[in-house]
Amino acid sequence: MPNVVVKGSVVFVTGANRERGIGRALVEEAVKRGAKKVYATSRTMSQLDELVSRYPGIVVPIRLDVTNKDDIARVAEVARDADILINNSGAAGSSGICFNYNEETARREIEVNYFGPLNLIRAFSRSLIGKKNAAVVNILSIGGLSAVPPAATYSASKAAAHSLTQTVRAELTRHGVSVFGVYPGPIDTDMADGLQYEKETSANVAIRIFDDMARGIEDITTDAFADQFVSNLRQDSKSLEKQNAELAHLMPIEA
């Protein structure tokens, strides 16, 4: 896979609204690395004001709900100059399957985490093909590689997005578009506030993502926890599955 560099590129980042989020850190790191322009999206434009004021003329705010296909078609037309599409928007809840199931949570996760990236990639693919430094970057999760029962439907949505990433890679690489899957562990964001693990900072995650893209690494882990998780998965996936299953005791036993 070709190396993809941010300097001089136009980058499109979904879900840049959270101050401690990975999306916000990716926008900031892209600017530091010399991106020509960075499109930053949010459903609420005012959440992007601080970013835009810090990087006038470089960060361009765009309103986007990744579950709205009309929104996606609009932004894909506005941002036809984008070289790098980063699908960062995510939704996470607490839902089991047989116990503690929440269908609203499950549907929200699949719409945001799977159909959002799918529809954005379809909308941007034609304008990416033919560009010299073109890339699609999907922010996934180690939970999509081996399920975590307390977040069962989240894991399922990220597993679907992992499969999507592999298929898009097969389709677009031959057309010169690099496709990266990013697999974070516990990161110090609002979404992970309830997790009792040592967490990596979003800023360090963004650095590692762009560094590994520049090295041409297709599947990117972002932190020590994720590194160990993937190593364990490769060595003995069944043992890791059983280890994760022990977390099921954290779930309420209710239908």
Side-chain angles (χ1 to χ4, degrees):
M1 176 176 287
N3 301 355
V4 175
V5 296
V6 173
K7 186 175 182 178
S9 297
V10 177
V11 183
F12 187 99
V13 183
T14 69
N17 52 300
R18 294 179 183 271
E19 187 174 340
R20 294 162 53 210
I22 294 174
R24 178 71 62 96
L26 286 165
V27 170
E28 294 171 338
E29 185 63 23
V31 173
K32 291 177 184 176
R33 293 183 182 231
K36 182 166 60 177
K37 182 193 298 183
V38 183
Y39 292 103
T41 82
S42 173
R43 286 180 296 166
T44 304
M45 292 292 283
S46 61
Q47 293 178 316
L48 301 173
D49 288 347
E50 190 271 337
L51 263 181
V52 175
S53 66
R54 270 197 291 141
Y55 306 112
I58 300 177
V59 173
V60 178
I62 296 187
R63 183 182 57 78
L64 171 64
D65 178 346
V66 300
T67 68
N68 185 311
K69 293 181 76 172
D70 290 338
D71 268 13
I72 289 173
R74 173 180 52 80
V75 301
E77 186 60 32
V78 169
R80 289 182 61 83
D81 56 342
D83 303 297
I84 301 171
L85 167 65
I86 304 181
N87 288 308
N88 168 73
S89 291
S94 177
S95 173
I97 301 296
C98 298
F99 305 110
N100 196 41
Y101 176 63
N102 185 313
E103 184 162 332
E104 182 179 353
T105 292
R107 290 188 179 278
R108 176 66 178 168
E109 289 165 341
I110 205 72
E111 286 291 338
V112 174
N113 299 341
Y114 174 69
F115 281 110
L118 184 154
N119 289 323
L120 278 154
I121 291 166
R122 284 178 49 79
F124 275 85
S125 60
R126 293 293 183 268
S127 62
L128 289 173
I129 290 172
K131 293 180 178 176
K132 293 182 179 180
N133 198 49
V136 171
V137 184
N138 291 335
I139 308 300
L140 305 171
S141 169
I142 56 172
L145 300 176
S146 185
V148 180
T153 54
Y154 173 77
S155 292
S157 71
K158 289 297 189 177
H162 167 65
S163 181
L164 167 71
T165 301
Q166 293 178 320
T167 299
V168 170
R169 183 179 293 141
E171 292 180 337
L172 292 185
T173 299
R174 70 186 68 184
H175 296 288
V177 181
S178 300
V179 179
F180 300 91
V182 179
Y183 302 88
I187 309 302
D188 187 19
T189 65
D190 295 340
M191 191 179 290
D193 273 346
L195 297 180
Q196 301 302 312
Y197 295 100
E198 184 175 346
K199 301 170 190 175
E200 184 58 271
T201 66
S202 293
N204 285 341
V205 167
I207 290 169
R208 186 152 167 185
I209 290 170
F210 288 138
D211 281 351
D212 282 0
M213 287 171 60
R215 297 185 184 107
I217 297 173
E218 291 182 338
D219 298 318
I220 301 170
T221 49
T222 62
D223 53 278
F225 189 101
D227 293 341
Q228 188 61 55
F229 188 97
V230 170
S231 176
N232 293 344
L233 181 65
R234 289 171 178 163
Q235 291 174 22
D236 190 344
S237 61
K238 184 55 66 174
S239 290
L240 181 61
E241 179 186 342
K242 291 177 179 178
Q243 178 182 323
N244 290 344
E246 294 176 3
L247 298 173
H249 78 276
L250 300 175
M251 300 167 60
I253 304 301
E254 57 185 39

